[in-house]
Amino acid sequence: MTTFLLLPGAGGEALYWSPVADLLRAAGHEVVAMDLPADDPTAGLTAYTELAVAAVAAVAGRRDVVLAAHSMGGFTAPMVAARIPVRAIVLVNAMIPLPGESASTWGDAVGSEPARLAAASAGGYAADVDLVDTFLHDVPAEVLDPAVVANGRDEAEIAFTEPCAFDRWPDGGIRVLVGRDDRLFPRDLQIRVARERLGVEAHVLPGGHLLPVANPQAVTAHLLAVAAG
């Protein structure tokens, strides 16, 4: 049995991992899907890391830990991995930081905004960041109600400005999953960043930015493959 630690992106809500968590539990694994205090102005990456480490420690009889992080959860992932042994890290449409980088400076460093605008122009969709057009365009309403998302928590500024405190990414055991139709972090941007910063070739899956709810079967299949070694 593997323990899967699922870290959310900005907003800190575990519901974005819910379909994947259900599939992993049905396959017989332990799942820790984190709800993080994203709207707490005093709780940043260090606080998220402490909560994640404590949640994994509370799992009775845990064995292998596979850490999966979505979107901004990529900034918490290396800090958690520096604190507890993890068998693998799976990054899902995730921001991939360098040591000491902050989420507020990541976009300029990797060129995410020019890439997003160019992808919108090439794809013929709106360039503005919009709840429905950017995030929910491929997610059925019965899976994730737009009203629920609209009432979600905003990420406090501290999480964007706090440096990501880790020394280096592991040399191996990292898998990068990219949504082919991600409108926030376009596919080609993510593929390039994974190569440049991790030396990893990304796996491209059908789906947009909210890949764990847009295509939970494919994400789960990759997580189970990692668990199987």
Side-chain angles (χ1 to χ4, degrees), residues 2-37:
T2 298
T3 298
F4 288 94
L5 172 62
L6 309 180
L7 298 177
E13 297 187 74
L15 71 88
Y16 295 104
W17 277 110
S18 292
V20 171
D22 290 343
L23 292 170
L24 291 172
R25 292 187 181 105
H29 297 285
E30 185 75 38
V31 177
V32 178
M34 296 295 301
D35 249 334
L36 297 173

Side-chain angles (χ1 to χ4, degrees), residues 45-46 75 78-79 82 99-101 162-167:
L45 301 180
T46 299
F75 267 78
M79 293 177 62
E101 191 171 42
E162 183 179 351
C164 189
F166 73 109
D167 292 329

Side-chain angles (χ1 to χ4, degrees), residues 21-189:
D22 290 343
L23 292 170
L24 291 172
R25 292 187 181 105
H29 297 285
E30 185 75 38
V31 177
V32 178
M34 296 295 301
D35 249 334
L36 297 173
D39 54 354
D40 184 342
T42 67
L45 301 180
T46 299
Y48 297 172
T49 299
E50 295 292 343
L51 290 168
V53 169
V56 172
V59 176
R62 73 183 188 280
R63 297 180 185 175
D64 294 329
V65 175
V66 171
L67 188 163
H70 174 244
S71 194
M72 191 176 166
F75 267 78
T76 305
M79 293 177 62
V80 174
R83 291 279 305 278
I84 60 173
V86 297
R87 181 166 156 200
I89 299 172
V90 181
L91 300 172
V92 183
N93 285 337
M95 302 166 77
I96 301 174
L98 296 174
E101 191 171 42
S102 69
S104 63
T105 61
W106 179 88
D108 286 342
V110 302
S112 67
E113 185 64 2
R116 188 185 68 79
L117 294 174
S121 178
Y125 53 85
D128 294 339
V129 175
D130 175 83
L131 174 62
V132 174
D133 288 343
T134 308
F135 297 100
L136 299 174
H137 60 93
D138 64 333
V139 180
E142 62 269 21
V143 175
L144 194 59
D145 187 338
V148 173
V149 182
N151 289 323
R153 295 171 294 189
D154 291 329
E155 188 73 42
E157 185 176 359
I158 185 174
F160 291 103
T161 58
E162 183 179 351
C164 189
F166 73 109
D167 292 329
R168 64 196 302 264
W169 287 94
D171 290 329
I174 301 177
R175 183 175 296 210
V176 176
L177 306 184
V178 171
R180 179 192 63 199
D181 310 306
D182 192 333
R183 296 181 178 181
L184 183 65
F185 303 144
R187 174 191 61 200
D188 291 347
L189 166 75

